[in-house]
Amino acid sequence: MAQALAIQTKDLGRIYKIRGPKKKGDAKQLVALEGVNLEVEQGELFGLLGPNGAGKTTLIKILSTLLLPTSGVALVEGRDVTKDVFQIRQRISMVSGGETSGYGLLTIEENLWMFARFYGLDTATAQKRIDELLAVVGIADRKRAKISDLSTGLRQKMNFVRGFLSDPSVIFLDEPTLGLDVTAAREVRGFVKDWMREVPSRTLLLTTHYMAEADELCDRLAIVDSGKVLVCDTPANLKHRLQKDAVFNLKVSLLGPKPNQDAMIESVPGVRRVTASEHEGYTELSLILAEESVLGGVIGHLSSRGSNLISLEKRAPTLEDVFIQLVGRRLDEDTSKRNGAAQ
């Protein structure tokens, strides 16, 4: 028997019109989503990975009924986001990392109680859930602190609690650990896993910039770029795609300025992808090669450019390697560096 779908999109598209003065030849519109087809099963923890501007937040806003699609269809638990807005909103919630929510003059407890009442919870149920969730994120002792006095991290913890108060059947988490320290982020991930286990029918859609977070949490994930879904599978299967390739980390003496196209490492036959990062005294390279024998050509190329090998490590493929192969750059790389390794 087929699993029920919690989320489904069919040829979903979203185009933004660009307003304001334009020079001749400037684009008049921005394509944020184009032909997106996704199916998320009920009970699944599904992830979206993509660089800034890939369309992840636009997709979540459409699914949470905050934004209308330009084309195609989006369904949440079988309901159309353009026609069944009220019914969908009764069953979903959303948390965005870095979002400022709440009223500064009210305390954490007062803000959360107010949101709980908006969701239709009675006072006793609301207070029980507030206390439980504040304990999970470690700020139960700050519940009477005013929002205006909180740090960014504490506000984000309160916002996270607010998202789970209504016990939604589908929740959208858009960068939920953004701004949290390592311990708090680990607690949030632990809570998410426990929350999903408690009720098998719950569904969670997550966007994150942290590869380890996606690998740890997601049953399946989609990599998106420029408004399109490039691939969709389990983290294990995505990494298995690169098993036939050879993946190496190299530390070499500084390479210096970016050479012309013909002198870049990518010009070596058999080199699939390269990313480079500069450190004090050395350059670190991450290589995806067609086979191990290609490494000799790479080292010879580096030597011809006056760079010496400091260390070399062969490793198993990671989600980041898959992402780099598909998108051409690291997830944390600035969008201005769209042409990849530049080495």
Side-chain angles (χ1 to χ4, degrees):
M1 183 176 177
Q3 182 78 12
L5 294 178
I7 296 168
Q8 184 178 22
T9 68
K10 302 174 184 177
D11 296 322
L12 190 67
R14 172 69 195 191
I15 297 174
Y16 293 100
K17 291 183 179 179
I18 300 175
R19 295 184 173 85
K22 306 178 186 69
K23 298 178 182 177
K24 186 177 180 180
D26 283 353
K28 296 181 180 180
Q29 60 184 29
L30 172 67
V31 179
L33 295 175
E34 182 179 356
V36 173
N37 293 290
L38 281 179
E39 291 186 349
V40 179
E41 295 180 354
Q42 192 176 66
E44 193 170 21
L45 202 164
F46 191 91
L48 291 176
L49 283 178
N52 292 331
K56 307 183 301 298
T57 299
T58 295
L59 177 57
I60 283 184
K61 284 184 175 180
I62 290 174
L63 293 172
S64 57
T65 74
L66 298 177
L67 188 67
L68 289 172
T70 306
S71 59
V73 176
L75 305 175
V76 177
E77 294 194 327
R79 297 172 175 87
D80 192 306
V81 297
T82 65
K83 302 173 183 176
D84 307 314
V85 174
F86 181 73
Q87 295 92 326
I88 290 174
R89 289 182 178 180
Q90 287 181 309
R91 304 182 61 78
I92 68 170
S93 189
M94 177 179 173
V95 176
S96 295
E99 176 186 352
T100 301
S101 61
Y103 295 90
L105 294 177
L106 300 180
T107 65
I108 291 177
E109 186 177 39
E110 289 167 342
N111 269 286
L112 291 174
W113 181 86
M114 178 184 66
F115 281 117
R117 296 297 290 161
F118 289 162
Y119 290 129
L121 300 180
D122 61 79
T123 297
T125 302
Q127 196 61 58
K128 182 176 183 294
R129 290 186 186 173
I130 289 169
D131 290 341
E132 289 174 350
L133 289 168
L134 289 178
V136 167
V137 297
I139 57 172
D141 60 332
R142 300 295 303 275
K143 67 180 183 179
R144 292 187 173 84
K146 289 185 177 181
I147 301 299
S148 57
D149 297 331
L150 299 180
S151 65
T152 300
L154 289 177
R155 287 190 185 207
Q156 175 60 5
K157 288 183 178 182
M158 189 209 75
N159 190 41
F160 181 82
V161 168
R162 189 267 309 155
F164 285 87
L165 270 178
S166 61
D167 192 24
S169 58
V170 179
I171 189 165
F172 303 96
L173 302 185
D174 192 10
E175 305 282 359
T177 56
L178 186 68
L180 299 183
D181 59 38
V182 174
T183 300
R186 185 166 55 244
E187 290 169 348
V188 165
R189 289 194 295 271
F191 172 78
V192 164
K193 288 189 283 189
D194 291 341
W195 186 80
M196 292 291 291
R197 277 195 295 263
E198 284 173 3
V199 181
S201 62
R202 288 169 171 165
T203 305
L204 191 151
L205 192 149
L206 167 77
T207 78
T208 178
H209 266 76
Y210 305 116
M211 289 290 184
E213 189 166 83
D215 207 354
E216 176 186 347
L217 292 177
C218 296
D219 300 312
R220 287 190 305 141
L221 57 86
I223 295 178
V224 297
D225 190 29
S226 301
K228 298 179 181 179
V229 175
L230 304 181
V231 68
C232 179
D233 212 329
T234 66
N237 285 345
L238 289 174
K239 287 181 284 187
H240 185 69
R241 290 162 57 100
L242 289 180
Q243 287 292 350
K244 62 179 182 292
D245 295 325
V247 184
F248 289 92
N249 277 354
L250 276 66
K251 289 183 181 179
V252 300
S253 55
L254 289 173
L255 285 174
K258 175 182 174 180
N260 59 42
Q261 190 70 30
D262 293 338
M264 293 172 67
I265 299 172
E266 289 92 327
S267 66
V268 177
V271 174
R272 297 194 188 280
R273 286 288 181 187
V274 184
T275 57
S277 57
E278 300 292 341
H279 302 271
E280 188 173 352
Y282 68 92
T283 299
E284 187 168 2
L285 302 172
S286 179
L287 307 175
I288 300 175
L289 310 178
E291 54 186 32
E292 285 192 29
S293 61
V294 176
L295 185 62
V298 172
I299 293 175
H301 171 91
L302 293 170
S303 179
S304 70
R305 290 173 59 183
S307 182
N308 299 316
L309 181 65
I310 298 172
S311 67
L312 181 153
E313 175 193 10
K314 184 180 181 182
R315 57 180 175 78
T318 65
L319 270 182
E320 184 166 20
D321 295 322
V322 177
F323 186 90
I324 290 169
Q325 187 189 50
L326 291 168
V327 179
R329 61 195 184 279
R330 295 188 303 271
L331 182 57
D332 59 357
E333 194 170 344
D334 187 83
T335 52
S336 65
K337 302 177 182 176
R338 286 188 177 268
N339 293 324
Q343 291 290 343

